[in-house]
Each structure stands twice: as C-alpha cells, then as structure tokens.
Amino acid sequence: GASHESAKGSTVEINGEEEKKTRPEPGWPRPKGYANGVLARGQLLFVAGQVGWDETETFQSELFSQQVEQALKNVVAVLSEAGALPQHITRMTWYVTDKQEYLEQSRAVGDAYRRVIGQHYPAMSLVEVAGLVEEGGKVEIEATAVIPD
C-alpha cells in the first residue's frame, strides 16, 4: 500500500486500512518508541490495565522487564479475543512503580516490547505511581485499539 509523509505526520497502511501518525510542526524531535498522535477509523477496543502475571494470577518474575513482557502478552491476549492485532493498538498507558527501574532496564524493556508487539509504536504515556492493587506488580499497561471496519 502507498504511504506518504507531510509536515503534519505520515500515513501508513495497516491491513488494508490507513492509519495516520501525527506529530507537531517541523523542528520538533522525532519521538523514540512511540507516536505523538494516531488518527484511526474503526471499532474501538479498550483494554483494561494488564499486569505482569500469568493466567493463574501468579507473578513468575520479580524482574521489571519480565513483568513488562508478560503484561504485553496479556494485552495481546485480550486483543486476540476481540479479533484485533498488536498493530491495531493506537494508545498505551504504562503505570510503573519505579521510574528508575524502568530506565535502568529500558533496553530489556524495548527488546520485550518488540518481541511481543513488533515494530508498531502507538501514542504512549508512562506514569510513575505509588503502587498497584496487585501485590508484587511493578507495571500495569492499558491499551486502546482500533479494529478496522
């Protein structure tokens, strides 16, 4: 499919549908690992916050990057139930209990992200929080996806 880029952003074709990634005026730095904005058309899917535990609600690791990988797998499982793919994610919000731990493991986090989600980078925010409801949880990830009509 065709794609084009302008000063306001770029349009990419995903599964026969166009998705527009937007960014501010020229001169702003290019985002690394996320998009400043995504414009999409289709059915909305809202994925509740997923933590890094398995289907038995057990954390298999205390390592931040491994909890990220499991949380992302849980997001993908919810997407799959609705017939969506990781490429349909338009927005993610990450809640972390320790920003420093996130920064220290950023390379491993990026590797885990690419293994599970691929080279797709939606609009994202990361927020440090005092704690999560799930004891032992270090990260919770919410996602919004748009499934093409």
Side-chain angles (χ1 to χ4, degrees):
S3 68
H4 69 278
E5 185 148 339
S6 71
K8 294 286 187 183
S10 61
T11 302
V12 293
E13 191 173 306
I14 298 174
N15 296 335
E17 297 290 324
E18 283 192 352
E19 173 185 277
K20 182 166 180 156
K21 295 197 177 196
T22 62
R23 66 175 177 268
E25 296 298 321
W28 278 53
R30 184 177 193 92
K32 295 178 178 99
Y34 65 94
N36 282 319
V38 177
L39 180 63
R41 188 171 290 168
Q43 282 187 298
L44 294 174
L45 171 63
F46 300 95
V47 179
Q50 301 296 308
V51 294
W53 62 19
D54 63 18
E55 64 279 355
T56 66
E57 297 184 351
T58 304
F59 290 100
Q60 296 295 326
S61 175
E62 292 183 18
L63 192 62
F64 181 83
S65 60
Q66 290 179 358
Q67 286 197 18
V68 165
E69 185 158 1
Q70 184 61 53
L72 290 168
K73 287 177 179 178
N74 296 343
V75 167
V76 170
V78 175
L79 292 172
S80 180
E81 284 295 313
L85 300 168
Q87 301 92 308
H88 296 139
I89 298 171
T90 55
R91 177 166 181 62
M92 298 178 96
T93 303
W94 297 40
Y95 302 95
V96 301
T97 58
D98 186 341
K99 180 179 76 171
Q100 195 58 43
E101 192 171 17
Y102 166 81
L103 293 171
E104 289 168 359
Q105 294 185 38
S106 62
R107 182 175 295 271
V109 167
D111 291 344
Y113 181 92
R114 286 183 294 280
R115 274 194 301 277
V116 178
I117 304 298
Q119 296 288 329
H120 175 67
Y121 303 103
M124 283 194 240
S125 297
L126 183 134
V127 180
E128 184 177 32
V129 296
L132 301 174
V133 172
E134 295 78 10
E135 193 66 37
K138 297 183 174 198
V139 61
E140 185 167 332
I141 302 173
E142 292 179 343
T144 303
V146 178
I147 305 168
D149 293 329

